[in-house]
Amino acid sequence: MRAALAVAAIALVTTAVVYAQERTPSPAGAEVYIISPKDGATVKSPVTVVFGLKGMGVAPAGVKFENTGHHHLLIDTAVPSDLNAPLPTSDQVKHFGKGQTEASIELAPGKHTLQLVLGDEKHTPHNPPIESKKITITVK
Ligand SMILES: [Cu+2]
């Protein structure tokens, strides 16, 4: 019984390592950031969000090219804890798989958080992940 558990544990660890290795590597020093709006800004909806990227290039989803990815905008949510899976698609996680570098988003009045995460051609964050600081804005 103990041996069976140990085998199961080893299998789990091995699987985790394999997944980790499958993630697309990101180059050292790469950075994603929100150019606009500024952290703490008060804005009107629709809000134009401008994406910044340093040390990597933008490529559409589905295109594998070294040191590239596409933007994902997280609205009022945190980066998923499991980075080995593709980012989900929802009202809170928007994909810009055509390689867009800005977006116009409708937001209800009140406080909102925005954060960018780069994903590879399969929408999975790089290793290490390229994610921006999370900013907070107020929509009038
Ligand atoms: Cu995506």
Side-chain angles (χ1 to χ4, degrees), residues 22-36:
E22 277 177 1
R23 275 171 60 196
T24 305
S26 55
E31 224 181 288
V32 70
Y33 51 98
I34 297 172
I35 297 171
S36 175

Side-chain angles (χ1 to χ4, degrees), residues 33-38 43 47-52 103 114 135 137:
Y33 51 98
I34 297 172
I35 297 171
S36 175
K38 297 281 178 226
V43 296
V47 183
T48 299
V49 184
V50 183
F51 314 149
L114 300 175
I135 68 162
I137 59 168

Side-chain angles (χ1 to χ4, degrees), residues 26-32 53-56 129-130:
S26 55
E31 224 181 288
V32 70
L53 182 62
K54 260 195 248 176
M56 288 181 78
I130 306 301

Side-chain angles (χ1 to χ4, degrees), residues 107-132:
L107 290 171
K111 270 192 197 296
H112 296 279
T113 65
L114 300 175
Q115 187 173 20
L116 286 172
V117 182
L118 208 66
D120 68 7
E121 80 281 2
K122 291 177 186 151
H123 315 275
T124 303
H126 295 76
N127 191 17
I130 306 301
E131 47 187 64
S132 77

Side-chain angles (χ1 to χ4, degrees), residues 11-22:
L12 274 177
V13 168
T14 308
T15 307
V17 168
V18 167
Y19 276 129
Q21 283 172 344
E22 277 177 1

Side-chain angles (χ1 to χ4, degrees), residues 37 43-49 103-108 137 139-140:
V43 296
K44 272 193 221 158
S45 183
V47 183
T48 299
V49 184
S104 179
I105 54 165
E106 300 271 355
L107 290 171
I137 59 168
V139 176
K140 267 204 276 197

